[in-house]
């Protein structure tokens, strides 16, 4: 997409009412798939105002360093003794692992794609079941797209004792390296760049990545 076309798409997205969506199916300009599930959410303006606040300090932080945990083959090593000295930021299908959340200090769990995580597929059903179980079993911060706050609150129920940390994802937002000055982000289509890395950079000076090495055979999170 040329710079002029990209600017036009950004302008249209800003001007149109929230029930309209600007999508370039070639992938260079598109909204997060949350947009298709945002019925009943606050207006874009309300989200923009709310996102001016930085993220709060991590209530569950115990260590100086953090591991950003993917779900690739090397994620197996998170259960080694060495990982006891780190906090953990997890994502996506890792919620299926009761062992992970009970044996390690997971300070936050991130997810950003409603098509896979909160849709109607069997995959989405398994994700939601795991999310509900983990969020009711252990103290946990959930980091996600702010557009989906009301739906997420309704599914978690009143017994959820964790902390919801909504991030306003939008293609008109600037790309942020952290959330120290505001809780908003460009709508990357990747949970690592949209939420996990900026979140880690907000709370920690020492950051390690584990489990971002493809989709080969790896520990079954079940």
């Amino acid at each position: 997409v040329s710079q002029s076309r990209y600017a036009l798409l950004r302008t249209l997205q800003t001007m149109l009412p929230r029930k309209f969506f600007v999508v370039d199916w070639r992938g260079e300009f598109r909204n997060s798939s949350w947009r298709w599930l945002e019925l009943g959410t606050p207006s874009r303006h309300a989200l923009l105002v709310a996102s001016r606040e930085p993220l709060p300090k991590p209530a569950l932080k115990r260590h100086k360093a953090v591991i950003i945990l993917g779900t690739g083959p090397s994620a197996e090593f998170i259960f080694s003794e060495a990982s006891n000295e780190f906090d953990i930021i997890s994502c996506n299908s890792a919620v299926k692992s009761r062992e992970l959340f009970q044996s390690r200090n997971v300070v936050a769990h991130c997810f950003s794609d409603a098509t896979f995580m909160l849709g109607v597929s069997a995959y989405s059903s398994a994700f939601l079941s795991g999310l509900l179980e983990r969020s009711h079993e252990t103290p946990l911060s959930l980091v996600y797209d702010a557009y989906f706050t009301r739906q997420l609150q309704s599914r978690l129920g009143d017994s959820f004792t964790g902390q919801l940390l909504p991030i306003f994802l939008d293609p008109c937002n600037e790309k942020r390296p952290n959330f120290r000055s505001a809780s908003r982000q460009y709508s990357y289509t990747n949970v690592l760049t949209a939420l996990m890395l900026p979140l880690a950079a907000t709370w920690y000076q020492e950051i390690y990545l584990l489990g971002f090495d493809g989709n080969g055979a790896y520990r079954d999170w079940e």
Side-chain angles (χ1 to χ4, degrees), residues 8-199:
L8 174 61
L9 291 172
R10 285 173 59 92
T11 301
L12 285 173
Q13 181 64 65
T14 303
M15 295 175 60
L16 289 172
R18 66 188 177 91
K19 64 182 178 180
F20 288 88
F21 308 93
V22 176
V23 178
D24 184 333
W25 293 111
R26 292 171 297 178
E28 287 113 341
F29 186 96
R30 56 182 173 176
N31 276 304
S32 164
S33 54
W34 293 104
R35 301 300 181 267
W36 307 105
L37 298 175
E38 65 170 285
L39 294 178
T41 62
S43 68
R44 182 181 180 279
H45 176 71
L47 293 174
L48 185 61
V49 171
S51 68
R52 291 173 181 168
E53 297 296 324
L55 284 188
K57 294 182 179 180
L60 303 175
K61 183 177 180 179
R62 296 179 186 171
H63 303 96
K64 295 182 179 180
V66 65
I67 292 175
I68 300 177
L69 182 66
T71 55
S74 65
E76 169 74 23
F77 295 106
I78 199 63
F79 295 104
S80 67
E81 185 176 345
S83 68
N84 290 333
E85 301 303 316
F86 295 86
D87 289 340
I88 296 171
I89 294 175
S90 58
C91 69
N92 299 344
S93 59
V95 293
K96 294 192 293 181
S97 175
R98 177 176 284 107
E99 180 184 0
L100 172 65
F101 288 83
Q102 289 184 343
S103 66
R104 298 296 184 271
N105 189 45
V106 180
V107 295
H109 185 77
C110 302
F111 49 101
S112 62
D113 195 334
T115 298
F116 298 103
M117 302 306 162
L118 293 169
V120 296
S121 65
Y123 185 95
S124 296
S125 178
F127 167 76
L128 185 58
S129 295
L131 181 67
L132 293 174
E133 291 175 6
R134 301 296 85 76
S135 63
H136 287 93
E137 290 171 352
T138 60
L140 180 64
S141 291
L142 299 180
V143 185
Y144 60 96
D145 192 318
Y147 274 104
F148 208 67
T149 295
R150 290 181 183 174
Q151 290 85 344
L152 187 58
Q153 288 174 330
S154 68
R155 296 196 180 194
L156 290 175
D158 296 334
S159 60
F160 173 58
T161 58
Q163 185 177 31
L164 296 179
L165 300 179
I167 303 297
F168 176 36
L169 299 179
D170 192 272
C172 293
N173 288 335
E174 63 184 278
K175 298 177 181 180
R176 291 181 175 275
N178 59 62
F179 304 126
R180 292 175 185 169
S181 60
S183 54
R184 68 178 67 143
Q185 178 64 285
Y186 173 79
S187 55
Y188 292 102
T189 56
N190 182 294
V191 68
L192 174 64
T193 51
L195 300 176
M196 300 180 81
L197 274 172
L199 180 67

